[in-house]
Amino acid sequence: MSEAETNMEWCVSMPKVELHAHLNGSIRDSTLLELARVLGEKGVIVFSDVEHVILKNDRSLRDVFKLFDLIHVLTTDHTTVTRITKEVIEDFASENVVYLELRTTPKKNDSIGMTKRSYLEAVMEGLRAVSTVDVAFPAHNVDAGSPTKSLPVNDMCNGPTRKKIYVRLLLSIDRRESTAAAMETVKLALEMKDLGVVGIDLSGNPVVGEWNTFLPALQFARENGLYITLHCGEVPNPKEIQAMLDFSPRRIGHACYFEEDDWKKLKSNNIPVEICLTSNIVTASVSSLDAHHFANLYSGKHPLVLCTDDAGVFSTSLSSEYNLAASAFGLGKRELFLLAKNAIEFIFASDGVKQDLRRTFDLASNKMD
Ligand code: 6MZ
């Protein structure tokens, strides 16, 4: 095996925490192609027109949002939402992600009787449908929350024990939405709080929409105990970046177009950053890995977590992101492991889950050298 292969294998075997993954961005290409073929046969789309769009690898930020519109056409119905959720969880678990905060935008589609609630129920059905690994989720009877009830964790040395993955959900507000639609998502999240919904994300095309449109819903969410993470600084927008930082979210994603004042505020408020290296490079939000803000934040010990963003759309995986960080920024195994373990401190789930995850990492640490 080459050194590159050995390094990648090591990154796969390490337990990992994923905090920034969009459901519809994390779908397998093979599933998207299968869904496109079926819709092509029904005459809803022209398969040959969309095949190359799905398989393309270099995408501008604009292309990405066009692709999401296509993906949403392919995944409209409840059954498909359930299927992609199941597959996405299986894929993360298969690379030893032990805690996944999966985010998705609840969708309303009158023509097929889909409400935001029924969409979310279809997602939860997907969680229950996973059979190859144990999913720890409050709506599920194998959930722990308390360390004593937890099932065997992934074991990197003793072969194929059954894997366990904690899953929590974040509901996304799309920047195309109105204040009322954003509020509907927050209310749904509150109703589903006991069922594993832990927070709210603001995402969508960063050149669309105004911060003030979403602020009332985000404030309401926070007042009622939901955690907030914001896509912040994915495009240059100094006023919005400052307003978002003044809001003091629990975490932010990206931070690509930050200026000096923004870094100061981020650092003095100690807001953890979800870093999506491949996504930032493919969309050219950051010109190169050498110019990426990871290095500065990491050397300054600022809280950060490596994430995939859209593993399907950007043809990546969490293990690849760690492997990339290792080669781009010269991190050794010990540093990678600590980086992965430290992400536990920024999750939105309970202290009981955090404790259980710390134990998982401690057990793994004895076997990782
Ligand atoms: C901003 C993004 C994103 O919610 O339908 N999304 N928003 N920046 C990004 N970086 C490239 N990647 C994904 O998943 C797809 C939706 O997530 C958001 C977009 O709103 C996209 O439509 P769900 O499951």
Side-chain angles (χ1 to χ4, degrees), residues 192-217:
M192 300 290 193
K193 223 172 140 201
D194 293 340
L195 300 176
V197 176
V198 288
I200 297 289
D201 155 57
L202 175 66
S203 54
N205 192 337
V207 300
V208 172
E210 299 281 333
W211 168 244
N212 281 337
T213 308
F214 317 113
L215 187 56

PDB file of all heavy atoms in Angstrom, residues 192-217:
ATOM      1  N   MET A 192     -40.240  19.478  17.643  1.00  0.00           N
ATOM      2  CA  MET A 192     -39.493  18.227  17.466  1.00  0.00           C
ATOM      3  C   MET A 192     -38.231  18.179  18.335  1.00  0.00           C
ATOM      4  O   MET A 192     -37.354  17.342  18.096  1.00  0.00           O
ATOM      5  CB  MET A 192     -39.085  18.068  15.988  1.00  0.00           C
ATOM      6  CG  MET A 192     -40.241  18.032  15.041  1.00  0.00           C
ATOM      7  SD  MET A 192     -41.174  16.495  15.224  1.00  0.00           S
ATOM      8  CE  MET A 192     -42.192  16.524  13.773  1.00  0.00           C
ATOM      9  N   LYS A 193     -38.165  19.077  19.292  1.00  0.00           N
ATOM     10  CA  LYS A 193     -36.936  19.181  20.102  1.00  0.00           C
ATOM     11  C   LYS A 193     -36.634  17.887  20.870  1.00  0.00           C
ATOM     12  O   LYS A 193     -35.493  17.465  20.983  1.00  0.00           O
ATOM     13  CB  LYS A 193     -37.088  20.342  21.085  1.00  0.00           C
ATOM     14  CG  LYS A 193     -35.847  21.195  21.202  1.00  0.00           C
ATOM     15  CD  LYS A 193     -36.134  22.418  22.033  1.00  0.00           C
ATOM     16  CE  LYS A 193     -34.930  22.674  22.929  1.00  0.00           C
ATOM     17  NZ  LYS A 193     -35.253  23.481  24.083  1.00  0.00           N
ATOM     18  N   ASP A 194     -37.695  17.271  21.365  1.00  0.00           N
ATOM     19  CA  ASP A 194     -37.467  16.021  22.111  1.00  0.00           C
ATOM     20  C   ASP A 194     -37.149  14.857  21.187  1.00  0.00           C
ATOM     21  O   ASP A 194     -36.820  13.762  21.626  1.00  0.00           O
ATOM     22  CB  ASP A 194     -38.707  15.653  22.933  1.00  0.00           C
ATOM     23  CG  ASP A 194     -38.930  16.667  24.037  1.00  0.00           C
ATOM     24  OD1 ASP A 194     -37.962  17.376  24.379  1.00  0.00           O
ATOM     25  OD2 ASP A 194     -40.071  16.768  24.525  1.00  0.00           O
ATOM     26  N   LEU A 195     -37.311  15.076  19.906  1.00  0.00           N
ATOM     27  CA  LEU A 195     -37.095  13.981  18.946  1.00  0.00           C
ATOM     28  C   LEU A 195     -35.761  14.107  18.215  1.00  0.00           C
ATOM     29  O   LEU A 195     -35.561  13.530  17.168  1.00  0.00           O
ATOM     30  CB  LEU A 195     -38.255  13.941  17.942  1.00  0.00           C
ATOM     31  CG  LEU A 195     -39.634  13.717  18.552  1.00  0.00           C
ATOM     32  CD1 LEU A 195     -40.717  13.785  17.472  1.00  0.00           C
ATOM     33  CD2 LEU A 195     -39.696  12.347  19.236  1.00  0.00           C
ATOM     34  N   GLY A 196     -34.868  14.945  18.750  1.00  0.00           N
ATOM     35  CA  GLY A 196     -33.522  14.978  18.168  1.00  0.00           C
ATOM     36  C   GLY A 196     -33.181  16.199  17.347  1.00  0.00           C
ATOM     37  O   GLY A 196     -32.105  16.265  16.759  1.00  0.00           O
ATOM     38  N   VAL A 197     -34.104  17.175  17.269  1.00  0.00           N
ATOM     39  CA  VAL A 197     -33.766  18.420  16.579  1.00  0.00           C
ATOM     40  C   VAL A 197     -33.102  19.338  17.606  1.00  0.00           C
ATOM     41  O   VAL A 197     -33.698  19.659  18.626  1.00  0.00           O
ATOM     42  CB  VAL A 197     -35.013  19.095  15.976  1.00  0.00           C
ATOM     43  CG1 VAL A 197     -34.639  20.435  15.344  1.00  0.00           C
ATOM     44  CG2 VAL A 197     -35.668  18.185  14.939  1.00  0.00           C
ATOM     45  N   VAL A 198     -31.851  19.715  17.345  1.00  0.00           N
ATOM     46  CA  VAL A 198     -31.108  20.462  18.360  1.00  0.00           C
ATOM     47  C   VAL A 198     -30.845  21.917  17.979  1.00  0.00           C
ATOM     48  O   VAL A 198     -30.421  22.704  18.817  1.00  0.00           O
ATOM     49  CB  VAL A 198     -29.755  19.776  18.700  1.00  0.00           C
ATOM     50  CG1 VAL A 198     -29.975  18.511  19.497  1.00  0.00           C
ATOM     51  CG2 VAL A 198     -28.936  19.521  17.447  1.00  0.00           C
ATOM     52  N   GLY A 199     -31.086  22.260  16.729  1.00  0.00           N
ATOM     53  CA  GLY A 199     -30.748  23.638  16.389  1.00  0.00           C
ATOM     54  C   GLY A 199     -31.253  24.076  15.027  1.00  0.00           C
ATOM     55  O   GLY A 199     -31.932  23.323  14.311  1.00  0.00           O
ATOM     56  N   ILE A 200     -30.863  25.307  14.701  1.00  0.00           N
ATOM     57  CA  ILE A 200     -31.268  25.944  13.443  1.00  0.00           C
ATOM     58  C   ILE A 200     -30.020  26.416  12.710  1.00  0.00           C
ATOM     59  O   ILE A 200     -29.078  26.911  13.323  1.00  0.00           O
ATOM     60  CB  ILE A 200     -32.166  27.180  13.745  1.00  0.00           C
ATOM     61  CG1 ILE A 200     -33.461  26.763  14.441  1.00  0.00           C
ATOM     62  CG2 ILE A 200     -32.466  27.983  12.482  1.00  0.00           C
ATOM     63  CD1 ILE A 200     -34.467  26.027  13.572  1.00  0.00           C
ATOM     64  N   ASP A 201     -30.074  26.253  11.382  1.00  0.00           N
ATOM     65  CA  ASP A 201     -28.978  26.714  10.522  1.00  0.00           C
ATOM     66  C   ASP A 201     -29.557  27.729   9.550  1.00  0.00           C
ATOM     67  O   ASP A 201     -30.704  27.597   9.115  1.00  0.00           O
ATOM     68  CB  ASP A 201     -28.430  25.484   9.762  1.00  0.00           C
ATOM     69  CG  ASP A 201     -27.750  25.823   8.457  1.00  0.00           C
ATOM     70  OD1 ASP A 201     -26.804  26.619   8.486  1.00  0.00           O
ATOM     71  OD2 ASP A 201     -28.160  25.278   7.409  1.00  0.00           O
ATOM     72  N   LEU A 202     -28.792  28.755   9.231  1.00  0.00           N
ATOM     73  CA  LEU A 202     -29.188  29.652   8.142  1.00  0.00           C
ATOM     74  C   LEU A 202     -28.251  29.388   6.974  1.00  0.00           C
ATOM     75  O   LEU A 202     -27.032  29.535   7.107  1.00  0.00           O
ATOM     76  CB  LEU A 202     -29.081  31.123   8.586  1.00  0.00           C
ATOM     77  CG  LEU A 202     -29.355  32.138   7.468  1.00  0.00           C
ATOM     78  CD1 LEU A 202     -30.811  32.074   6.984  1.00  0.00           C
ATOM     79  CD2 LEU A 202     -29.031  33.568   7.923  1.00  0.00           C
ATOM     80  N   SER A 203     -28.829  28.979   5.849  1.00  0.00           N
ATOM     81  CA  SER A 203     -27.994  28.659   4.685  1.00  0.00           C
ATOM     82  C   SER A 203     -28.707  29.063   3.401  1.00  0.00           C
ATOM     83  O   SER A 203     -29.698  29.778   3.435  1.00  0.00           O
ATOM     84  CB  SER A 203     -27.646  27.165   4.683  1.00  0.00           C
ATOM     85  OG  SER A 203     -28.805  26.364   4.769  1.00  0.00           O
ATOM     86  N   GLY A 204     -28.224  28.574   2.283  1.00  0.00           N
ATOM     87  CA  GLY A 204     -28.795  28.944   0.989  1.00  0.00           C
ATOM     88  C   GLY A 204     -27.864  29.910   0.279  1.00  0.00           C
ATOM     89  O   GLY A 204     -26.835  30.318   0.826  1.00  0.00           O
ATOM     90  N   ASN A 205     -28.234  30.241  -0.941  1.00  0.00           N
ATOM     91  CA  ASN A 205     -27.394  31.106  -1.775  1.00  0.00           C
ATOM     92  C   ASN A 205     -27.066  32.418  -1.043  1.00  0.00           C
ATOM     93  O   ASN A 205     -27.958  33.210  -0.755  1.00  0.00           O
ATOM     94  CB  ASN A 205     -28.137  31.385  -3.082  1.00  0.00           C
ATOM     95  CG  ASN A 205     -27.225  32.027  -4.095  1.00  0.00           C
ATOM     96  OD1 ASN A 205     -26.225  32.643  -3.727  1.00  0.00           O
ATOM     97  ND2 ASN A 205     -27.560  31.884  -5.367  1.00  0.00           N
ATOM     98  N   PRO A 206     -25.789  32.643  -0.757  1.00  0.00           N
ATOM     99  CA  PRO A 206     -25.424  33.790   0.089  1.00  0.00           C
ATOM    100  C   PRO A 206     -25.656  35.152  -0.564  1.00  0.00           C
ATOM    101  O   PRO A 206     -25.605  36.170   0.144  1.00  0.00           O
ATOM    102  CB  PRO A 206     -23.931  33.568   0.361  1.00  0.00           C
ATOM    103  CG  PRO A 206     -23.463  32.634  -0.691  1.00  0.00           C
ATOM    104  CD  PRO A 206     -24.635  31.826  -1.127  1.00  0.00           C
ATOM    105  N   VAL A 207     -25.905  35.186  -1.886  1.00  0.00           N
ATOM    106  CA  VAL A 207     -26.182  36.498  -2.492  1.00  0.00           C
ATOM    107  C   VAL A 207     -27.679  36.814  -2.483  1.00  0.00           C
ATOM    108  O   VAL A 207     -28.112  37.862  -2.943  1.00  0.00           O
ATOM    109  CB  VAL A 207     -25.603  36.630  -3.928  1.00  0.00           C
ATOM    110  CG1 VAL A 207     -24.092  36.457  -3.905  1.00  0.00           C
ATOM    111  CG2 VAL A 207     -26.243  35.641  -4.900  1.00  0.00           C
ATOM    112  N   VAL A 208     -28.462  35.910  -1.940  1.00  0.00           N
ATOM    113  CA  VAL A 208     -29.922  36.093  -1.900  1.00  0.00           C
ATOM    114  C   VAL A 208     -30.344  36.430  -0.459  1.00  0.00           C
ATOM    115  O   VAL A 208     -29.779  35.902   0.497  1.00  0.00           O
ATOM    116  CB  VAL A 208     -30.620  34.781  -2.356  1.00  0.00           C
ATOM    117  CG1 VAL A 208     -32.125  34.852  -2.156  1.00  0.00           C
ATOM    118  CG2 VAL A 208     -30.273  34.455  -3.790  1.00  0.00           C
ATOM    119  N   GLY A 209     -31.345  37.303  -0.317  1.00  0.00           N
ATOM    120  CA  GLY A 209     -31.945  37.521   1.008  1.00  0.00           C
ATOM    121  C   GLY A 209     -31.177  38.475   1.901  1.00  0.00           C
ATOM    122  O   GLY A 209     -30.011  38.791   1.659  1.00  0.00           O
ATOM    123  N   GLU A 210     -31.871  38.932   2.942  1.00  0.00           N
ATOM    124  CA  GLU A 210     -31.327  39.931   3.864  1.00  0.00           C
ATOM    125  C   GLU A 210     -31.321  39.369   5.275  1.00  0.00           C
ATOM    126  O   GLU A 210     -32.307  38.761   5.708  1.00  0.00           O
ATOM    127  CB  GLU A 210     -32.257  41.160   3.904  1.00  0.00           C
ATOM    128  CG  GLU A 210     -32.445  41.878   2.591  1.00  0.00           C
ATOM    129  CD  GLU A 210     -31.264  42.773   2.294  1.00  0.00           C
ATOM    130  OE1 GLU A 210     -30.618  43.213   3.263  1.00  0.00           O
ATOM    131  OE2 GLU A 210     -30.991  43.001   1.102  1.00  0.00           O
ATOM    132  N   TRP A 211     -30.271  39.646   6.011  1.00  0.00           N
ATOM    133  CA  TRP A 211     -30.142  39.180   7.393  1.00  0.00           C
ATOM    134  C   TRP A 211     -31.375  39.537   8.226  1.00  0.00           C
ATOM    135  O   TRP A 211     -31.883  38.723   8.996  1.00  0.00           O
ATOM    136  CB  TRP A 211     -28.853  39.778   7.981  1.00  0.00           C
ATOM    137  CG  TRP A 211     -28.686  39.646   9.450  1.00  0.00           C
ATOM    138  CD1 TRP A 211     -28.628  40.666  10.355  1.00  0.00           C
ATOM    139  CD2 TRP A 211     -28.548  38.435  10.210  1.00  0.00           C
ATOM    140  NE1 TRP A 211     -28.458  40.179  11.624  1.00  0.00           N
ATOM    141  CE2 TRP A 211     -28.402  38.808  11.570  1.00  0.00           C
ATOM    142  CE3 TRP A 211     -28.535  37.080   9.892  1.00  0.00           C
ATOM    143  CZ2 TRP A 211     -28.250  37.884  12.599  1.00  0.00           C
ATOM    144  CZ3 TRP A 211     -28.380  36.144  10.913  1.00  0.00           C
ATOM    145  CH2 TRP A 211     -28.246  36.543  12.241  1.00  0.00           C
ATOM    146  N   ASN A 212     -31.877  40.773   8.044  1.00  0.00           N
ATOM    147  CA  ASN A 212     -33.011  41.211   8.883  1.00  0.00           C
ATOM    148  C   ASN A 212     -34.282  40.379   8.687  1.00  0.00           C
ATOM    149  O   ASN A 212     -35.134  40.327   9.554  1.00  0.00           O
ATOM    150  CB  ASN A 212     -33.345  42.692   8.621  1.00  0.00           C
ATOM    151  CG  ASN A 212     -32.357  43.567   9.368  1.00  0.00           C
ATOM    152  OD1 ASN A 212     -31.752  43.120  10.347  1.00  0.00           O
ATOM    153  ND2 ASN A 212     -32.183  44.797   8.900  1.00  0.00           N
ATOM    154  N   THR A 213     -34.387  39.750   7.528  1.00  0.00           N
ATOM    155  CA  THR A 213     -35.560  38.891   7.276  1.00  0.00           C
ATOM    156  C   THR A 213     -35.567  37.695   8.237  1.00  0.00           C
ATOM    157  O   THR A 213     -36.618  37.249   8.680  1.00  0.00           O
ATOM    158  CB  THR A 213     -35.502  38.344   5.820  1.00  0.00           C
ATOM    159  OG1 THR A 213     -35.329  39.444   4.946  1.00  0.00           O
ATOM    160  CG2 THR A 213     -36.746  37.560   5.450  1.00  0.00           C
ATOM    161  N   PHE A 214     -34.368  37.187   8.560  1.00  0.00           N
ATOM    162  CA  PHE A 214     -34.287  35.934   9.334  1.00  0.00           C
ATOM    163  C   PHE A 214     -34.119  36.167  10.833  1.00  0.00           C
ATOM    164  O   PHE A 214     -34.350  35.272  11.637  1.00  0.00           O
ATOM    165  CB  PHE A 214     -33.120  35.078   8.807  1.00  0.00           C
ATOM    166  CG  PHE A 214     -33.067  35.059   7.309  1.00  0.00           C
ATOM    167  CD1 PHE A 214     -32.028  35.656   6.607  1.00  0.00           C
ATOM    168  CD2 PHE A 214     -34.116  34.494   6.591  1.00  0.00           C
ATOM    169  CE1 PHE A 214     -32.017  35.692   5.229  1.00  0.00           C
ATOM    170  CE2 PHE A 214     -34.115  34.512   5.215  1.00  0.00           C
ATOM    171  CZ  PHE A 214     -33.067  35.117   4.528  1.00  0.00           C
ATOM    172  N   LEU A 215     -33.709  37.392  11.155  1.00  0.00           N
ATOM    173  CA  LEU A 215     -33.375  37.697  12.546  1.00  0.00           C
ATOM    174  C   LEU A 215     -34.508  37.385  13.529  1.00  0.00           C
ATOM    175  O   LEU A 215     -34.259  36.740  14.561  1.00  0.00           O
ATOM    176  CB  LEU A 215     -32.912  39.165  12.638  1.00  0.00           C
ATOM    177  CG  LEU A 215     -32.363  39.629  13.971  1.00  0.00           C
ATOM    178  CD1 LEU A 215     -31.197  38.756  14.428  1.00  0.00           C
ATOM    179  CD2 LEU A 215     -31.900  41.095  13.878  1.00  0.00           C
ATOM    180  N   PRO A 216     -35.761  37.791  13.248  1.00  0.00           N
ATOM    181  CA  PRO A 216     -36.820  37.502  14.231  1.00  0.00           C
ATOM    182  C   PRO A 216     -36.959  36.003  14.524  1.00  0.00           C
ATOM    183  O   PRO A 216     -37.101  35.601  15.685  1.00  0.00           O
ATOM    184  CB  PRO A 216     -38.096  38.041  13.564  1.00  0.00           C
ATOM    185  CG  PRO A 216     -37.627  38.986  12.520  1.00  0.00           C
ATOM    186  CD  PRO A 216     -36.283  38.523  12.073  1.00  0.00           C
ATOM    187  N   ALA A 217     -36.882  35.203  13.486  1.00  0.00           N
ATOM    188  CA  ALA A 217     -37.028  33.740  13.689  1.00  0.00           C
ATOM    189  C   ALA A 217     -35.836  33.180  14.456  1.00  0.00           C
ATOM    190  O   ALA A 217     -35.989  32.308  15.320  1.00  0.00           O
ATOM    191  CB  ALA A 217     -37.169  33.045  12.335  1.00  0.00           C
TER     192      ALA A 217
END
